[in-house]
Amino acid sequence: MGQREGTVEDVVTRWRGRRVLVTGHTGFKGGWLALWLKQLGATVRGYALEPDTEPNLFTVARVGEAVEDVRGDVRDLAELKRALSGFRPEVVFHLAAQPLVRRSYADPLETFSTNVMGTANLLEAVRETPGVRAVVCVTTDKVYRNEGEDRAFIETDALGGHDPYAASKACAEIVTNAYRDSFFSLEKLAEHGVAVATARAGNVIGGGDWSRDRLIPDLVRGVMAGEAILIRRPKATRPWQHVLEPLHGYLLLAEGLLTEPARFARAFNFGPAEEDAWPVERIATKIAELWGQGARWVKDDAEHVHEDHYLRLDASKARSELGWKPRLEIGQGLEWTLEWYRAWQSGAAMREFTLKQMEAYERLG
């Protein structure tokens, strides 16, 4: 894993036997992370609601067979405390969230209660659970105040959020910082023993995402159905990256918190190289080209809610301090994504296929 990684065997050694709790393990990114941690030898407990879509990665890749599967809501503090205290993890990855911009317009209160109070509840449960040493709270690239400037955001830029989703994640960053300053300060690390960081990643693609109103799942559903794909904002630019890229960063960040908490207990961006921040129309055209069989897209001229036109992350801090860097160009990431869905469509064993993609990614280092 970058400069801190060494060989694959070194990484396995660092994670073997560690007790790790992952909130949101029934979701897309959480499911990939839970499987990867298990592959690295960790003992993993997941805490999450039922999967939100059908089909879903959790079921298709049999994630529940690899980890201890606990169902619960991060808004339920009592249940969350029991999930942590009964497991006593050393590392916590907090991914449970309401992750969709358009859904946040339809149900803003669910979005704020899950993303803001869910984060506060997680940190409060950590505060009352002995033995936790590292917490990585995952937010989003959309936490920044976006005034439409043509530049990449850095970690010290102002937080903001036009829509309920973005605002809720910016609030989650503020909540995390408040807990770090008030209860998990580095000055008193010897007393509480907990190092907390946040991770801000770009638009994530990869096999197993069936969420509504996300570009890649919508495109995949369209090409599989043989229908023209409707694209809301063809000119909008996003920091696209394969799911394994930010997860690699989260693992490195957790390792940093365990070894050098004073250095890594803060926010980190994980985004692709500048040339991989593609406009939506280029992504859609590439997917149609890769899939073939007459796949095509058309512009959706209906009126839609506000979404930022341009968004890009500067991940130079993760590169210089964690030794993290993207391993897949966006074109490769799209190929891996469509290979995953094609394998699923053909009836392949998807847990094994998912693990093979992880192993291939590790070999790229």
Side-chain angles (χ1 to χ4, degrees):
M1 293 181 183
Q3 294 173 1
R4 301 175 55 81
E5 181 176 13
T7 66
V8 172
E9 290 75 18
D10 291 336
V11 179
V12 172
T13 299
R14 288 201 291 270
W15 284 97
R16 183 180 292 124
R18 290 199 188 277
R19 300 177 69 79
V20 183
L21 185 130
V22 178
T23 71
H25 71 295
T26 60
F28 167 54
K29 284 171 70 176
W32 275 87
L33 178 59
L35 284 178
W36 201 354
L37 285 163
K38 179 64 176 180
Q39 185 80 343
L40 293 174
T43 300
V44 184
R45 171 180 280 191
Y47 180 90
L49 296 172
E50 296 289 330
D52 197 42
T53 64
E54 183 56 49
N56 58 81
L57 176 73
F58 181 83
T59 302
V60 168
R62 308 192 322 276
V63 178
E65 297 176 18
V67 307
E68 184 183 353
D69 177 26
V70 177
R71 296 303 163 88
D73 194 325
V74 291
R75 293 172 293 184
D76 188 333
L77 177 58
E79 284 296 324
L80 191 52
K81 284 182 179 179
R82 279 192 283 272
L84 267 75
S85 64
F87 184 62
R88 293 174 68 94
E90 184 179 10
V91 180
V92 176
F93 291 96
H94 178 47
L95 286 81
Q98 192 298 92
L100 303 174
V101 171
R102 284 162 62 86
R103 181 168 163 181
S104 78
Y105 281 99
D107 198 342
L109 293 184
E110 177 208 23
T111 302
F112 281 108
S113 62
T114 301
N115 296 352
V116 183
M117 286 309 302
T119 299
N121 286 341
L122 183 278
L123 293 169
E124 184 65 16
V126 166
R127 193 160 74 97
E128 299 186 15
T129 304
V132 178
R133 294 181 55 205
V135 180
V136 177
C137 290
V138 175
T139 60
T140 176
D141 55 357
K142 298 172 181 63
V143 298
Y144 297 105
R145 183 188 300 160
N146 194 332
E147 305 290 353
E149 302 173 51
D150 186 11
R151 68 176 184 86
F153 289 104
I154 62 174
E155 289 85 350
T156 54
D157 281 333
L159 300 176
H162 182 282
D163 56 82
Y165 169 72
S168 72
K169 284 296 195 173
C171 289
E173 287 275 352
I174 294 170
V175 166
T176 303
N177 195 56
Y179 262 81
R180 182 168 45 219
D181 290 346
S182 301
F183 307 113
F184 305 128
S185 68
L186 293 172
E187 293 78 8
K188 297 183 179 180
L189 182 64
E191 297 177 22
H192 57 72
V194 183
V196 181
T198 58
R200 306 164 181 174
N203 284 46
V204 175
I205 65 173
D209 188 4
W210 277 280
S211 300
R212 292 286 173 184
D213 295 320
R214 274 192 184 155
L215 178 62
I216 302 302
D218 287 348
L219 290 169
V220 168
R221 275 187 288 267
V223 297
M224 284 186 171
E227 300 172 351
I229 306 154
L230 291 174
I231 300 298
R232 294 193 300 273
R233 290 178 174 80
K235 303 297 183 182
T237 298
R238 296 288 184 269
W240 311 99
Q241 57 187 335
H242 191 274
V243 63
L244 289 171
E245 303 279 34
L247 296 186
H248 174 207
Y250 304 165
L251 292 170
L252 281 174
L253 183 52
E255 291 175 16
L257 292 173
L258 290 170
T259 56
E260 298 181 77
R263 182 180 176 188
F264 296 108
R266 45 207 171 99
F268 281 84
N269 286 340
F270 297 99
E274 181 176 355
E275 59 269 22
D276 283 341
W278 285 11
V280 168
E281 63 183 355
R282 187 175 177 187
I283 294 286
T285 299
K286 183 65 174 179
I287 285 179
E289 172 191 315
L290 290 170
W291 194 270
Q293 302 176 24
R296 62 191 180 89
W297 66 271
V298 296
K299 187 177 184 299
D300 183 354
D301 291 320
E303 185 176 344
H304 297 287
V305 298
H306 170 87
E307 294 179 71
D308 292 321
H309 177 73
Y310 185 88
L311 184 56
R312 189 161 58 85
L313 293 178
D314 182 333
S316 57
K317 187 168 80 170
R319 287 166 169 77
S320 63
E321 298 192 25
L322 287 167
W324 175 87
K325 64 178 179 179
R327 297 178 176 182
L328 291 170
E329 296 177 352
I330 183 59
Q332 293 175 288
L334 289 171
E335 290 175 3
W336 282 31
T337 299
L338 293 187
E339 286 170 5
W340 195 101
Y341 285 108
R342 285 186 185 278
W344 170 74
Q345 191 179 38
S346 70
M350 293 314 298
R351 182 176 172 191
E352 289 72 14
F353 191 90
T354 303
L355 294 176
K356 285 180 180 178
Q357 287 199 330
M358 290 177 185
E359 292 164 1
Y361 180 84
E362 290 170 347
R363 289 194 296 271
L364 294 175

